[in-house]
Amino acid sequence: MKEIELSAGTIAYEDTGEGPTLVLLHGLMMDASLWENVIADLSADHRCVAPTLPLGAHRHAMHANADLSLAGVSRLVAEFLERLDLHDVTLVGNDTGGALVQLLMRDGAARVERVVLASCDAFDNFPPGLTGKTLVLAGKLPPRMFGLFMQQMRIRMLRRLPLAFGWLTLRGDAATARWLKPVLTQPEIRRDAVRTLRAAANGAGSLLAAAERLPSFDRRALVVWAKGDRVMPPEHGRRLAELLPRGQLVEVDDSYTLIPLDQPTRLAQIIREFIHTCDVS
């Protein structure tokens, strides 16, 4: 994994493959490994860049004055694109990563050629579902107490509950267990996670404002939604596709929110076909 020093702190990222550039964003309490199997497929003919953002499963503590709100992290993504001098990017976001994509779309997304929103936070669904609401509630605890709360997630039966990761993924329990390690073992990451979650409590307003700007986004947009999603309402996928002037919708069977874990091959195929169609039209 590579690293880059940004204004908020050190960010680790994957960068593999050659071809059209994709930047893939993950959600709260996740890291870049969300995209591991998708990247394994797409990197055969694309450059795949996946940062681990300071959303609770990152490796390095952020600076004390870093803005870890949803808007702050979206600006960090923009800085990341600039520092790597990435152009004509296909920006892909799943879960809260899709919320970050929408905020970048609102702000112009100068380096972005097209976007993919995959079963993500949208409109007033933030924090999303039981999982998001439970996390934000837990984030009100002091960092040490938050760590004790998260220790319970080491038990698979508890991780699989709807208030944890149970409604986010059908098949990705091993990944969710791995994502917990930084917050369980590093006090400074617990402090960052609490800061992020406390800021997230006020994030719905920024997503509603971003939605109002979506009709002015004039580039290609693909919305990919899990038909069986129990956290991100499927009607939100349809609404997003309708709001985007050049938007299209693809629904995926046999998956919950984390399509990159539940249906990575299908998702890679959808993204590849989308980019190819854009390039030839």
Side-chain angles (χ1 to χ4, degrees):
M1 219 177 204
K2 299 181 179 181
E3 294 183 350
I4 187 169
E5 181 69 23
L6 300 179
S7 59
T10 300
I11 298 294
Y13 66 99
E14 298 284 354
D15 188 349
T16 185
E18 295 183 0
T21 301
L22 295 97
V23 175
L24 305 115
L25 307 181
H26 61 79
L28 285 170
M29 304 305 298
M30 304 173 197
D31 66 21
S33 68
L34 169 71
W35 298 100
E36 182 177 21
N37 292 327
V38 175
I39 288 172
D41 188 323
L42 288 174
S43 61
D45 48 2
H46 296 79
R47 180 183 180 186
C48 298
V49 183
T52 288
L53 300 169
L55 294 173
H58 49 297
R59 304 296 185 270
H60 304 286
M62 296 294 103
H63 301 323
N65 63 348
D67 182 357
L68 300 184
S69 67
L70 202 61
V73 177
S74 75
R75 288 191 289 271
L76 194 65
V77 174
E79 182 184 352
F80 177 77
L81 299 180
E82 181 177 0
R83 287 288 305 280
L84 291 184
D85 195 26
L86 301 178
H87 298 274
D88 302 323
V89 166
T90 299
L91 189 61
V92 187
N94 177 225
D95 192 80
T96 305
L100 298 173
V101 172
Q102 292 169 63
L103 293 182
L104 285 159
M105 293 163 72
R106 177 199 65 184
D107 295 337
R111 294 173 177 268
V112 175
E113 178 66 22
R114 60 187 72 86
V115 300
V116 180
L117 299 171
S119 276
C120 61
D121 312 21
F123 308 110
D124 60 350
N125 187 35
F126 190 85
L130 280 173
T131 303
K133 291 175 176 58
T134 300
L135 274 174
V136 168
L137 186 62
K140 295 181 179 180
L141 296 168
R144 182 174 176 276
M145 295 300 294
F146 176 73
L148 291 174
F149 172 81
M150 294 302 294
Q151 286 284 347
Q152 312 310 307
M153 296 300 107
R154 298 174 66 179
I155 302 170
R156 185 182 187 281
M157 182 176 65
L158 296 181
R159 281 199 308 276
R160 299 306 301 153
L161 291 174
L163 57 79
F165 290 97
W167 281 357
L168 285 176
T169 177
L170 291 167
R171 302 177 181 86
D173 182 65
T176 65
R178 184 172 63 246
W179 295 336
L180 294 171
K181 290 181 180 178
V183 82
L184 294 180
T185 59
Q186 301 180 55
E188 63 274 19
I189 301 301
R190 285 197 290 274
R191 288 193 293 270
D192 282 354
V194 166
R195 291 167 59 199
T196 298
L197 292 170
R198 290 178 181 177
N202 302 314
S206 61
L207 276 185
L208 287 168
E212 293 178 356
R213 299 288 298 275
L214 292 181
S216 64
F217 187 78
D218 61 358
R219 281 153 276 175
R220 294 291 186 94
L222 173 66
V223 180
V224 184
W225 222 265
K227 283 185 180 179
D229 205 317
R230 305 176 77 172
V231 177
M232 312 297 179
E235 58 266 26
H236 281 188
R238 293 187 285 271
R239 282 178 64 189
L240 286 169
E242 290 169 359
L243 281 173
L244 291 160
R246 303 179 72 185
Q248 63 186 88
L249 173 67
V250 177
E251 294 184 315
V252 176
D253 290 315
D254 195 25
S255 178
Y256 282 171
T257 301
L258 301 184
I259 306 173
L261 294 183
D262 288 344
Q263 292 290 346
T265 302
R266 175 64 177 137
L267 181 58
Q269 176 190 22
I270 291 167
I271 293 172
R272 179 178 280 111
E273 290 175 354
F274 170 63
I275 294 173
H276 176 73
T277 301
C278 292
D279 288 344
V280 300
S281 61

